[in-house]
Amino acid sequence: MKLLLLMLLLPASLTAMELTPYTAHYSASFSGLRGEMTMALSDSGEGHYVLESRTLARGLARLARPRDMVDRSEFTLDAGQLRPVSFVAEDGTRRNKRGNTIDFDWNNQSAVTEYRGETRAIGLTDGLLDRQLLQIAMTNDLANGVTEENYNVVDRLDKKVYRIQVTGEERVEVEAGSFNTVRVERQRPGSSRASVLWCAPELNYLPVKMEQLKDGKVIGTLELTAYE
């Protein structure tokens, strides 16, 4: 379920549209298990922002993940450049074995990431993101007419490249309403996993529907239920 949250990506500069605070609610399904996800962008003042997604498992899935699954990114805008400050991921289990924390030190051009008891320093370059900021990046690029792009992301203990490509336009109906959308595919080169997103221009290209695939088969979905 949480893998569906890792799907979006970044540009060099941002417009005010992409930084308008919002809260989006989704129904979630992964391997037959269901839950609810909320994603919210908030303005902390003085150019500081927080993007957080929080997923609550329902039914049998709640036994394995009794706590909320959380991805939380604090970031700034520096001369129009999106820069992550810190990232925290919690996996929803009691022990949080697959949790991840990343601290970004742009003055020293280094990020310290911790995952499964291992700590690693990663060199920073302009445009490098944490995985939660993929949403802001991709929606900004779509709004500026970009149809194909690669993005560099710190994910757990490594840098990874994500590629997006616009593959068409579709009308999509979900609980929150009916939307004209652009269809976007996202995949890491060589990975068996991919994501398909239907992004609505009238909601600043926020995804209203998402599917995660493995070896071409759908293993998870998100659908927008409400938007504020």
Side-chain angles (χ1 to χ4, degrees):
M1 195 180 296
K2 191 171 183 181
L3 292 173
L4 292 169
L5 314 181
L6 313 182
M7 56 196 94
L8 310 160
L9 310 132
L10 162 104
S13 62
L14 302 172
T15 67
M17 179 182 68
E18 280 63 44
L19 295 183
T20 301
Y22 70 85
T23 301
H25 302 276
Y26 295 87
S27 61
S29 176
F30 183 74
S31 297
L33 302 177
R34 298 188 177 277
E36 300 168 0
M37 191 268 277
T38 299
M39 179 174 285
L41 173 66
S42 59
D43 185 345
S44 300
E46 299 183 354
H48 287 73
Y49 301 85
V50 175
L51 181 63
E52 180 179 275
S53 61
R54 185 175 292 268
T55 304
L56 175 66
R58 296 295 189 190
L60 294 177
R62 193 69 176 169
L63 298 177
R65 299 181 186 272
R67 301 175 180 175
D68 288 358
M69 292 169 276
V70 179
D71 278 354
R72 188 176 193 273
S73 177
E74 297 186 20
F75 64 99
T76 66
L77 280 179
D78 183 1
Q81 178 69 52
L82 179 68
R83 285 192 165 180
V85 174
S86 65
F87 172 78
V88 176
E90 300 175 6
D91 67 9
T93 65
R94 289 185 175 86
R95 295 187 179 183
N96 195 35
K97 288 184 177 180
R98 298 176 68 86
N100 181 207
T101 62
I102 309 173
D103 293 313
F104 294 81
D105 184 347
W106 289 96
N107 290 330
N108 293 310
Q109 295 293 294
S110 178
V112 177
T113 179
E114 191 276 332
Y115 177 68
R116 289 196 167 210
E118 183 176 350
T119 300
R120 186 176 297 177
I122 294 177
L124 296 181
T125 55
D126 286 343
L128 189 65
L129 302 173
D130 65 57
R131 69 193 193 192
Q132 178 70 355
L133 295 185
L134 298 182
Q135 162 126 355
I136 292 177
M138 189 190 75
T139 55
N140 184 79
D141 272 1
L142 292 174
N144 285 285
V146 175
T147 60
E148 191 171 346
E149 189 59 273
N150 293 329
Y151 304 89
N152 294 311
V153 178
V154 179
D155 188 358
R156 295 172 177 169
L157 297 173
D158 300 296
K159 289 182 182 179
K160 298 178 181 178
V161 176
Y162 288 81
R163 183 172 184 79
I164 67 159
Q165 183 176 14
V166 175
T167 57
E169 299 180 358
E170 294 181 22
R171 185 75 176 175
V172 172
E173 292 190 10
V174 293
E175 184 175 333
S178 182
F179 300 91
N180 291 323
T181 70
V182 292
R183 185 182 186 277
V184 182
E185 296 183 3
R186 188 226 69 174
Q187 189 170 22
R188 288 193 295 112
S191 176
S192 63
R193 295 180 180 269
S195 297
V196 180
L197 305 96
W198 287 264
C199 302
E202 66 185 274
L203 298 182
N204 298 333
Y205 288 90
L206 185 79
V208 297
K209 180 180 177 182
M210 315 176 207
E211 291 182 349
Q212 182 151 22
L213 295 84
K214 183 176 182 180
D215 297 322
K217 296 181 179 180
V218 176
I219 60 172
T221 63
L222 290 175
E223 291 191 2
L224 187 70
T225 57
Y227 176 83
E228 304 162 13

